[in-house]
Amino acid sequence: MLLQQNWVSPHWAWQSLGKPFLLFVFLMLQTADLEARRGHQFVWKTGHWGRCIGDCGSGGVRSRAVWCTHAEGWTTFHANCDQQDKPESQRRCFKVCDWHLELFEWEVSGWDRCGLVPAAGAEAGAEVCVTAQHGLQRRSVRCLQKLNRTVVSSEICEYFTPQPPAEQACLVPCPRDCVVSQFSGWSPCGTGCAKSLQHRTRAVIAPPLYGGAPCPNLTESRACGAPACPLGEEEHTYSLHVGPWGECRLPHPKDVQLAERTMLDLGSDSGERSTSGLPGSHPHHHAGEVEIGYQTRQVRCVRSDGKHAALSLCLQDPVPMTSKSCVIPKDCAPSEWSPWSPCSRSCGWGSLTPGFRSRRRSVRSVAVGAGKPCPELEEREACSTGGKAPLQPCPRFAWRTSEWKACQVSLLLDQQDPRHQKQAGLCGGGIQTRVVYCVQILVELGTHRLKEVARPVDGKLCQGPAPATSQLCHLPCPAECAVSSWSPWGPCLPESCQHRHGGRGFRMRQRQVVVDPVGTLAGCPHLVESIPCEDAWCHEWVVSEGVCVTDRGKCGPGHRVLKAVCKSRKGEEVPHHLCSELPRPEVVACEVPCARDCVVSEWSPWSPCSHSCSSKNTEGSQSRSRSILALPAEGGKACPPERALQEQRACNEHPCVHFFWEASPWSSCSEDVLGTALNATISWSREATCGVGIQTRKVFCMKSSSGQVTPKRCPESIRPEAVRPCLLPCRKDCVVTLFSEWTPCPTACQPGNATAVKQSRYRIILQDSASGGQACPDTLYEERECEDVPTCPVYRWKSHRWSPCVLVPEPVRQGLPGQSEACGHGLQSRAVTCLSEQGGSAAVGDCVQWAGAMPALVQECLIPCKDDCTFTPWSKFTACSSDCDTTRSRRRSLTGRSRKRDKCQNTEVYPQVETEPCPCEVFTSQPHGNWSDCIIRGRPWELQPGMPSQGVARECGEGVRLRAIACYDRTGRLVEPSRCSSSGYIEEPCTVPCPFDCKLSDWSSWSPCSSSCGPGVRVRSKWLKEKPYNGGRPCPKLDLKNQAQVHEAVPCYSECNQYSWEVEPWSPCKINSEQNSLHCGEGIQTRKVRCVSTAEDHGMETVPSALCSQAEVPETVQKCSLYCPSECAVSDWGQWSPCPQVCDPNIMQTRTRQVLRSPVSSKPCPEDSQMKPCILNQNCFQYQYNLTGWSGCQLGANATCGHGERRRLLSCRRSDGATVSMQLCQRLHLEKPVPTSSRCMVGCAVDCQLSPWSAWSQCSHTCGAGGWTVWRWIASPEPHVCSA
């Protein structure tokens, strides 16, 4: 029931509220949704904060890019994002400069205790500790201002050195309980009752560590099973408790004896021992003396019930020592500080800039025993000069660049194929580089003028980002000259039309340049060819015949009047006097057929000439014909014989040799006397040049078949020029910087046997020489040996004889159990003095600084006891051979009473011969640390800045990787790595895989144009040769049908009239004679049709019919009439009159024919005119220009990227969709659409460009194992293409 109520109730509510409320809610939801979507769709994005820019100190500003993006990733206007949430794009910062290095330092505390890190989700005590648990230890890391030890922003110290880590992982070992051995057996029982005890002991195998359980008792005692003791003497066990050693102290003055204390003055060169003078005097605390004292510890016997017992109840063998000799600790004593050095500040950056000063101290005496080690011996602090004199302003530094080098396309191909050989003709997109260097700018004191020193300095001195060292560029692709086909031969023209009379002249034909050549020396081929001819006229009479007018009646003989017009060779009408005398006769005879006469048609036009020229084997000829239209009746004029119906004549009689002017390439531009005159008269609009010179070339007249001929054979009027003015290129001298300063020689002293230290300097080419300018110097890098490098002083430690063995003083010994005799272990000391190289006395501090570790001042010694076995001193070891595997031995023998004691004869316990391996310089090496990166041989690490590198550094292939070695001697002590290896590291071969790009075959040749008329496409292909690997550039998008082929299609255009139908004359009208005995009336006539090439070179050559338009194939058969005798005879139909440009069915097209012979009878003649309406796409067509789509971006033949051209083609389209000859559109003077070409860009895949390697850094540790670093930066125009 509840469910039903909940369902019904809202339904009722909606119905009762009605539609207006629903609409309101819907609109509110839509608006809210739109706002919410807009809020989610557009978000602010920020770039990284840039470097701090501005003056040194707190006045710096850093900025970052802020932009608005759509959720899908594209960038949009700022207005689309919420302005209230816009992140800040600038913030203040502290601008750190190099001189701040002396003002700030990291302060690092010691690591705190390693604390456990609870594992995620682990329950307490759930995990059993096996070896150790992961922990974390922390320390405080702060950046301090040295002057007043105040904390400042970490970013300031980070500018100089990376921030030390504030926490590190550590291992907390598992708690380890004390581990003890099994008890030994009980000692034998004594006799008696109370004193009869037996003991047993056990040893500590592993002491307790990291909070483990402490050790249990190590000794147990119990009463022997003796006769029962009197009442109250219960059985107990006893254990020995040993306390810690006490402080080392000197004996009481009254206990001091001469042999028990020796003082050594390390400050003197005397090796004599000085002892305290009188009993009871206090010991003198001279600097550097070694004092031997004693220390004790408590040994107690504890009963099992916790009460103390007599020590005799717990005694065991050997008895634990309760006293021993020790060295009284003395702290290191440094000298007083030297005075402060002068303040280093020699120039001013403003009030912010302090200098620094330093002071030193030396060691007077070294630390002895557990004394404090020596403190820092040098101290530096910030300072201010405080003087009134103005300081010289500090130098400023700025980036400078050389000129851009020539555009290099080959750089883009380096990784594509290392064996690329086609470097010569490369073009398109490339990279050009320049050198970026830092220079010093001085501010002259008192003037505020800036003066630049043109010598390069260390790049670290320049602030701010360096200018780009490379940029994308474009190398124009060479384009070959392209020319059109030849025009038809023109008429025979004299060289000049100033003379009216005919004579020698030339017929000429032309072609045009379609594509101008770019970057090629060849230029264009000749554009005009000529043929000498004899009958050359500039103007001629053009004669037309009038209608035939009968002399008498309607038929029979008559005459035609000739009309002559004087025209130029261009077909223009000109005044009569320019032509020669009028042609004769002006009237010609003619005849109009009578009713019974034979009727013959007019002559057809002359056919095209069969050959374009004449040779020994071929002659040009052309023909024309006429046909019989009506047969004669009896008594009428007969028809002419068949041979009179054909006429033939020679044409193109000139020989098949043409002549043309040929010119050599232009010479380079050179100075000439004419140049001064030309400079005055010619105004060049191009960039600044260095005057006008001339270029020359040779011009020859060439015969097409046999080479050079006399110039008379070529028309002089079109002879190419042999001299032309040109711009002289400016002479450019090489410009280099001054040499940099010599690299500093070391100020620290060098060991006497060190190799000579060298210093170097370099200079940079800013501009290469050109056009005969002064060449660049050969030397760009120089080095020399450093002079006056200080040699380190030589000092050595001298060790003196050991003192007698010093034991614990007798009164102290006698107060302790079991140690009454003056024997046992003690300490002995010796003097160690410092000597100069000449053997003279020197201060201890000099040896501390220069002579290495100090020899030991104290060693353990032994005074044998009465009951001990005594021996003679050990003999010297026997001599060793050179072999490392031999041994040596030494001997000793028993002395005094020991010779008679049995226990001393036991050579296992008291050996009398000792044998050991011969000491041998055997060192073992062990790899230390990780392998380095794979280093390619030939990387220019050792190059100084500006030193020219030999060839291009390889970035992949075979290389080596290095690993440091730790070198140990036989005792396991770390020694110089050079003892194990000359280099101090091991190396092994490695390979950095070279990326191989997708490799395609060369382009195939272009296919023919797909269309024989109008626009089509030409296609060429590439096939896949190798797939990319190791991160090489991927293949372009492959053709879907054939995965291994890439196509490129370009538009092409074929002239529509280059192939045309050629028709022969109609055959005579053939009458079907079976039905017709008169052989006249209706019949059929045929003609031959062939497709011919109209190209000049082919000369009406027959080609396949498919090349001609199939829609326009001429008829090969038609009906005809051979009029019978006495019938009316009419001519063939004339051409249809043209339709208007805009087709209109109301306008009619007409054609007419003439009556050639009147009928004998009254039978009427056939119609002499016809009409039909102008209907669109039937007999009337309209034309318009049509544009194809844009082609892809077409690059030069050898370009892989960069600037290109895209094209679209123009064609003439008829209203029925057919593409027709462009001439039809040109005749109508239609407006052409533009443009038909535009520039385009194919992006260049730029390889990551890296700077040369820097020099190696200092080793990160001064002792032990450290690391060196070598670095470089990204120098690409687009750094994002470099992967990590």
Side-chain angles (χ1 to χ4, degrees):
M1 187 62 199
L2 182 64
L3 177 68
Q4 191 181 2
Q5 279 180 349
N6 280 348
W7 176 254
V8 171
S9 175
H11 181 67
W12 167 84
W14 281 116
Q15 278 190 330
S16 61
L17 284 168
K19 290 179 184 174
F21 179 73
L22 280 174
L23 182 64
F24 171 71
V25 170
F26 176 72
L27 287 172
M28 288 295 290
L29 285 171
Q30 283 285 352
T31 311
D33 181 49
L34 195 66
E35 284 298 314
R37 269 168 52 203
R38 179 176 167 186
H40 291 306
Q41 278 180 335
F42 297 102
V43 288
W44 290 108
K45 286 282 176 75
T46 60
H48 296 296
W49 285 109
R51 287 181 66 172
C52 198
I53 293 172
D55 294 331
C56 298
S58 56
V61 173
R62 63 176 48 184
S63 56
R64 64 177 176 182
V66 176
W67 67 96
C68 180
T69 64
H70 189 268
E72 293 175 9
W74 41 268
T75 308
T76 179
F77 297 112
H78 279 213
N80 286 331
C81 284
D82 189 347
Q83 297 302 307
Q84 292 176 347
D85 299 338
K86 185 175 181 179
E88 61 177 351
S89 62
Q90 280 198 337
R91 64 163 60 156
R92 297 186 69 78
C93 57
F94 190 95
K95 176 69 163 40
V96 183
C97 297
D98 283 352
W99 52 264
H100 285 119
L101 176 60
E102 301 303 328
L103 303 182
F104 302 98
E105 66 178 0
W106 289 112
E107 183 193 66
V108 180
S109 69
W111 292 108
D112 63 10
R113 203 167 52 81
C114 189
L116 282 180
V117 177
E123 293 179 20
E127 289 187 19
V128 177
C129 183
V130 180
T131 54
Q133 297 151 290
H134 288 289
L136 197 66
Q137 54 188 157
R138 294 182 175 85
R139 63 180 177 182
S140 76
V141 177
R142 304 185 302 170
C143 182
L144 295 186
Q145 188 172 352
K146 288 184 186 177
L147 222 53
N148 53 10
R149 310 303 290 173
T150 53
V151 180
V152 294
S153 168
S154 297
E155 290 178 357
I156 298 173
C157 290
E158 278 178 353
Y159 181 84
F160 306 107
T161 51
Q163 180 171 349
E167 57 182 38
Q168 68 177 8
C170 55
L171 290 175
V172 182
C174 301
R176 216 165 77 187
D177 297 342
C178 178
V179 181
V180 292
S181 66
Q182 297 293 321
F183 273 113
S184 64
W186 289 102
S187 63
C189 272
T191 56
C193 159
K195 291 183 181 178
S196 187
L197 286 173
Q198 55 183 164
H199 308 281
R200 64 176 184 178
T201 59
R202 56 185 172 186
V204 174
I205 296 171
L209 291 172
Y210 317 118
C215 294
N217 285 343
L218 301 178
T219 59
E220 277 187 1
S221 306
R222 71 177 184 187
C224 287
C229 285
L231 190 68
E233 301 244 354
E234 297 88 357
E235 266 192 40
H236 286 290
T237 57
Y238 299 90
S239 56
L240 199 65
H241 276 218
V242 180
W245 286 109
E247 188 184 341
C248 190
R249 56 190 169 173
L250 289 169
H252 199 266
K254 69 173 190 275
D255 301 328
V256 173
Q257 294 179 1
L258 288 178
E260 289 177 346
R261 177 161 160 238
T262 305
M263 290 179 289
L264 292 152
D265 186 358
L266 292 176
S268 71
D269 61 344
S270 164
E272 295 176 9
R273 292 177 291 284
S274 61
T275 58
S276 58
L278 299 166
S281 67
H282 287 275
H284 298 286
H285 293 275
H286 294 304
E289 69 180 15
V290 175
E291 293 180 304
I292 295 175
Y294 71 93
Q295 56 189 153
T296 59
R297 63 178 174 182
Q298 205 175 24
V299 178
R300 294 180 296 134
C301 185
V302 180
R303 208 167 64 176
S304 54
D305 61 358
K307 293 181 180 175
H308 290 250
L311 197 61
S312 58
L313 293 175
C314 288
L315 282 183
Q316 60 191 57
D317 197 26
V319 181
M321 276 195 338
T322 56
S323 67
K324 67 176 182 181
S325 299
C326 57
V327 176
I328 301 291
K330 290 276 173 66
D331 294 345
C332 170
S335 69
E336 292 300 314
W337 286 108
S338 68
W340 285 105
S341 67
C343 196
S344 67
R345 184 181 178 199
S346 59
C347 64
W349 283 88
S351 58
L352 252 173
T353 329
F356 64 88
R357 59 182 186 167
S358 62
R359 60 180 183 173
R360 292 184 61 84
R361 57 183 171 181
S362 59
V363 175
R364 285 209 175 133
S365 62
V366 293
V368 176
K372 279 187 188 172
C374 294
E376 287 290 326
L377 299 177
E378 185 177 13
E379 195 173 68
R380 300 175 90 177
E381 71 172 17
C383 62
S384 168
T385 51
K388 301 286 183 190
L391 288 173
Q392 181 74 25
C394 286
R396 298 183 190 174
F397 299 94
W399 292 110
R400 294 289 179 264
T401 61
S402 69
E403 67 175 2
W404 288 107
K405 292 196 166 49
C407 192
Q408 290 279 318
V409 176
S410 54
L411 289 176
L412 294 176
L413 291 159
D414 276 355
Q415 281 207 323
Q416 191 164 348
D417 188 351
R419 302 175 300 280
H420 206 284
Q421 294 299 316
K422 300 179 185 172
Q423 301 278 328
L426 291 173
C427 62
I431 282 181
Q432 56 187 161
T433 57
R434 62 179 174 183
V435 180
V436 173
Y437 62 102
C438 183
V439 297
Q440 178 179 334
I441 294 172
L442 298 176
V443 182
E444 293 183 10
L445 196 59
T447 67
H448 288 291
R449 278 189 318 204
L450 300 180
K451 179 184 170 192
E452 188 168 312
V453 181
R455 73 172 80 247
V457 296
D458 187 350
K460 289 179 184 171
L461 296 171
C462 276
Q463 301 291 325
T469 57
S470 62
Q471 69 175 6
L472 293 175
C473 56
H474 183 76
L475 206 60
C477 284
E480 298 293 329
C481 181
V483 290
S484 66
S485 51
W486 288 106
S487 67
W489 286 102
C492 187
L493 288 173
E495 287 249 38
S496 164
C497 280
Q498 291 173 358
H499 309 289
R500 284 200 235 164
H501 305 298
R504 187 172 175 277
F506 294 95
R507 300 182 66 191
M508 287 191 252
R509 63 174 183 175
Q510 288 89 18
R511 55 183 173 182
Q512 280 78 39
V513 174
V514 178
V515 176
D516 286 313
V518 176
T520 57
L521 290 171
C524 287
H526 61 278
L527 302 175
V528 181
E529 284 185 347
S530 58
I531 301 166
C533 55
E534 294 305 325
D535 194 16
W537 296 93
C538 288
H539 308 96
E540 64 177 347
W541 292 108
V542 177
V543 178
S544 57
E545 295 180 347
V547 182
C548 191
V549 179
T550 53
D551 294 335
R552 291 191 301 278
K554 289 185 179 178
C555 66
H559 62 275
R560 294 177 194 270
V561 177
L562 297 180
K563 188 181 179 189
V565 177
C566 184
K567 288 191 174 180
S568 69
R569 289 296 196 186
K570 292 180 184 173
E572 297 163 350
E573 201 169 320
V574 293
H576 285 185
H577 69 269
L578 291 176
C579 285
S580 57
E581 301 159 8
L582 277 176
R584 296 275 186 259
E586 292 182 9
V587 176
V588 291
C590 61
E591 192 167 346
V592 176
C594 292
R596 295 175 179 277
D597 293 345
C598 174
V599 180
V600 183
S601 70
E602 297 286 335
W603 286 105
S604 68
W606 289 104
S607 67
C609 198
S610 61
H611 291 90
S612 57
C613 58
S614 298
S615 64
K616 289 179 184 175
N617 306 323
T618 56
E619 275 191 355
S621 66
Q622 54 187 164
S623 59
R624 63 176 184 174
S625 61
R626 54 183 181 170
S627 57
I628 296 168
L629 296 178
L631 296 176
E634 277 187 43
K637 196 170 184 181
C639 289
E642 193 167 331
R643 66 175 181 278
L645 299 176
Q646 298 278 340
E647 267 187 12
Q648 209 155 12
R649 70 177 183 189
C651 57
N652 286 349
E653 295 170 71
H654 56 267
C656 292
V657 224
H658 342 298
F659 298 92
F660 53 89
W661 290 108
E662 189 75 84
S664 66
W666 287 105
S667 67
S668 56
C669 197
S670 58
E671 289 187 50
D672 187 75
V673 192
L674 289 171
T676 50
L678 286 166
N679 277 341
T681 55
I682 298 172
S683 58
W684 301 88
S685 58
R686 283 156 61 182
E687 68 274 357
T689 55
C690 298
V692 177
I694 59 162
Q695 280 177 295
T696 58
R697 62 177 176 180
K698 292 181 178 173
V699 176
F700 320 97
C701 179
M702 304 291 287
K703 187 177 179 181
S704 59
S705 54
S706 58
Q708 192 175 340
V709 293
T710 171
K712 290 180 183 175
R713 309 293 293 274
C714 291
E716 191 63 32
S717 58
I718 57 166
R719 182 183 186 130
E721 59 182 352
V723 180
R724 70 176 180 187
C726 57
L727 294 170
L728 285 166
C730 287
R731 180 172 173 270
K732 263 168 67 177
D733 292 338
C734 175
V735 179
V736 290
T737 63
L738 299 175
F739 270 108
S740 65
E741 299 289 353
W742 288 102
T743 53
C745 283
T747 50
C749 67
Q750 301 294 305
N753 58 354
T755 53
V757 184
K758 291 185 177 178
Q759 56 180 165
S760 62
R761 64 179 186 169
Y762 64 94
R763 54 183 170 179
I764 295 167
I765 295 175
L766 300 181
Q767 173 181 290
D768 283 310
S769 63
S771 306
Q774 187 179 342
C776 289
D778 293 332
T779 309
L780 296 173
Y781 176 78
E782 287 181 346
E783 61 181 15
R784 66 182 184 191
E785 287 190 5
C786 284
E787 295 176 359
D788 305 327
V789 177
T791 306
C792 294
V794 178
Y795 293 94
R796 60 188 172 86
W797 294 108
K798 183 184 177 185
S799 303
H800 300 263
R801 290 178 59 185
W802 290 106
S803 71
C805 200
V806 179
L807 301 176
V808 176
E810 190 175 346
V812 177
R813 272 201 325 275
Q814 285 172 351
L816 295 169
Q819 291 186 344
S820 57
E821 193 182 343
C823 63
H825 288 277
L827 293 176
Q828 60 186 158
S829 61
R830 65 177 174 185
V832 174
T833 52
C834 181
L835 299 181
S836 67
E837 190 174 4
Q838 291 75 28
S841 169
V844 174
D846 293 331
C847 278
V848 169
Q849 188 174 358
W850 303 109
M854 185 180 189
L857 293 169
V858 180
Q859 72 174 11
E860 285 192 357
C861 55
L862 178 71
I863 295 178
C865 297
K866 262 189 315 190
D867 295 337
D868 289 350
C869 297
T870 57
F871 295 89
T872 61
W874 284 104
S875 68
K876 286 187 176 179
F877 276 107
T878 56
C880 276
S881 69
S882 59
D883 190 3
C884 264
D885 296 330
T886 56
T887 57
R888 61 180 186 173
S889 60
R890 62 179 182 173
R891 295 177 177 277
R892 65 179 177 176
S893 53
L894 292 162
T895 59
R897 294 177 188 172
S898 299
R899 286 181 292 194
K900 296 179 180 177
R901 289 192 183 136
D902 290 338
K903 74 168 187 178
C904 294
Q905 302 292 343
N906 185 350
T907 54
E908 283 188 10
V909 180
Y910 302 106
Q912 294 183 30
V913 178
E914 240 181 19
T915 305
E916 69 175 20
C918 281
C920 185
E921 290 280 283
V922 176
F923 300 102
T924 52
S925 65
Q926 190 177 324
H928 181 87
N930 297 323
W931 284 103
S932 73
D933 293 336
C934 194
I935 298 164
I936 305 301
R937 291 291 191 202
R939 283 184 175 176
W941 344 82
E942 306 306 333
L943 293 186
Q944 301 300 323
M947 184 175 173
S949 74
Q950 302 298 315
V952 180
R954 295 184 300 116
E955 298 295 341
C956 64
E958 294 298 318
V960 290
R961 59 180 190 155
L962 310 175
R963 194 177 186 187
I965 53 171
C967 188
Y968 301 94
D969 62 12
R970 293 186 69 156
T971 63
R973 201 164 54 88
L974 201 63
V975 294
E976 276 289 318
S978 57
R979 298 282 186 89
C980 291
S981 151
S982 60
S983 61
Y985 52 80
I986 48 177
E987 64 177 63
E988 69 174 23
C990 57
T991 304
V992 175
C994 288
F996 281 92
D997 300 342
C998 171
K999 286 210 185 89
L1000 301 173
S1001 66
D1002 290 335
W1003 285 109
S1004 66
S1005 51
W1006 288 105
S1007 67
C1009 196
S1010 62
S1011 165
S1012 61
C1013 169
V1017 286
R1018 292 188 302 154
V1019 179
R1020 62 177 181 174
S1021 315
K1022 276 187 181 187
W1023 288 267
L1024 181 66
K1025 283 169 78 176
E1026 279 182 46
K1027 288 187 175 178
Y1029 54 96
N1030 289 340
R1033 294 186 184 131
C1035 292
K1037 196 172 180 182
L1038 298 175
D1039 185 60
L1040 293 173
K1041 292 180 185 173
N1042 179 358
Q1043 283 296 309
Q1045 197 175 6
V1046 180
H1047 292 305
E1048 187 179 45
V1050 294
C1052 56
Y1053 184 84
S1054 299
E1055 276 298 332
C1056 289
N1057 54 3
Q1058 61 181 321
Y1059 302 107
S1060 61
W1061 294 109
E1062 189 193 55
V1063 292
E1064 292 184 6
W1066 288 106
S1067 66
C1069 198
K1070 190 177 180 185
I1071 309 299
N1072 191 338
S1073 55
E1074 291 176 9
Q1075 300 174 3
N1076 189 338
S1077 56
L1078 291 172
H1079 303 293
C1080 62
E1082 294 288 324
I1084 283 176
Q1085 57 185 161
T1086 58
R1087 62 177 172 184
K1088 287 184 179 172
V1089 172
R1090 63 189 180 118
C1091 181
V1092 294
S1093 168
T1094 56
E1096 168 65 27
D1097 303 344
H1098 297 117
M1100 307 303 283
E1101 180 187 334
T1102 303
V1103 293
S1105 296
L1107 293 173
C1108 286
S1109 169
Q1110 300 305 305
E1112 297 171 6
V1113 184
E1115 298 291 342
T1116 55
V1117 180
Q1118 73 172 7
K1119 287 182 180 178
C1120 59
S1121 295
L1122 185 59
Y1123 299 110
C1124 294
S1126 307
E1127 268 188 332
C1128 178
V1130 289
S1131 66
D1132 290 332
W1133 286 106
Q1135 296 289 324
W1136 285 102
S1137 64
C1139 277
Q1141 201 165 332
V1142 180
C1143 298
D1144 183 355
N1146 297 320
I1147 295 175
M1148 308 302 272
Q1149 215 180 1
T1150 60
R1151 65 174 179 175
T1152 58
R1153 56 183 174 183
Q1154 285 78 39
V1155 174
L1156 299 178
R1157 184 181 73 181
S1158 301
V1160 174
S1161 64
S1162 58
K1163 186 180 179 184
C1165 285
E1167 63 178 347
D1168 61 355
S1169 68
Q1170 285 182 338
M1171 299 171 78
K1172 63 178 178 182
C1174 287
I1175 296 172
L1176 184 65
N1177 295 343
Q1178 283 187 14
N1179 59 339
C1180 178
F1181 296 95
Q1182 288 174 348
Y1183 301 92
Q1184 64 180 35
Y1185 283 117
N1186 182 52
L1187 272 177
T1188 63
W1190 286 109
S1191 70
C1193 197
Q1194 297 298 301
L1195 299 171
N1198 291 328
T1200 55
C1201 63
H1203 293 296
E1205 187 183 41
R1206 55 181 195 152
R1207 291 183 294 143
R1208 53 184 182 176
L1209 294 180
L1210 203 58
S1211 61
C1212 185
R1213 183 175 284 185
R1214 206 165 63 182
S1215 50
D1216 62 350
T1219 302
V1220 292
S1221 172
M1222 289 286 281
Q1223 292 172 353
L1224 291 167
C1225 285
Q1226 288 163 357
R1227 280 183 207 146
L1228 296 169
H1229 303 295
L1230 300 174
E1231 189 178 346
K1232 284 187 181 178
V1234 286
T1236 54
S1237 69
S1238 71
R1239 282 168 74 86
C1240 56
M1241 186 80 182
V1242 174
C1244 292
V1246 181
D1247 290 341
C1248 180
Q1249 298 286 311
L1250 297 169
S1251 73
W1253 288 102
S1254 69
W1256 285 107
S1257 69
Q1258 294 294 313
C1259 191
S1260 59
H1261 292 74
T1262 52
C1263 66
W1268 299 299
T1269 322
V1270 65
W1271 54 275
R1272 54 185 176 172
W1273 67 90
I1274 294 170
S1276 285
E1278 297 171 39
H1280 63 265
V1281 296
C1282 292
S1283 59

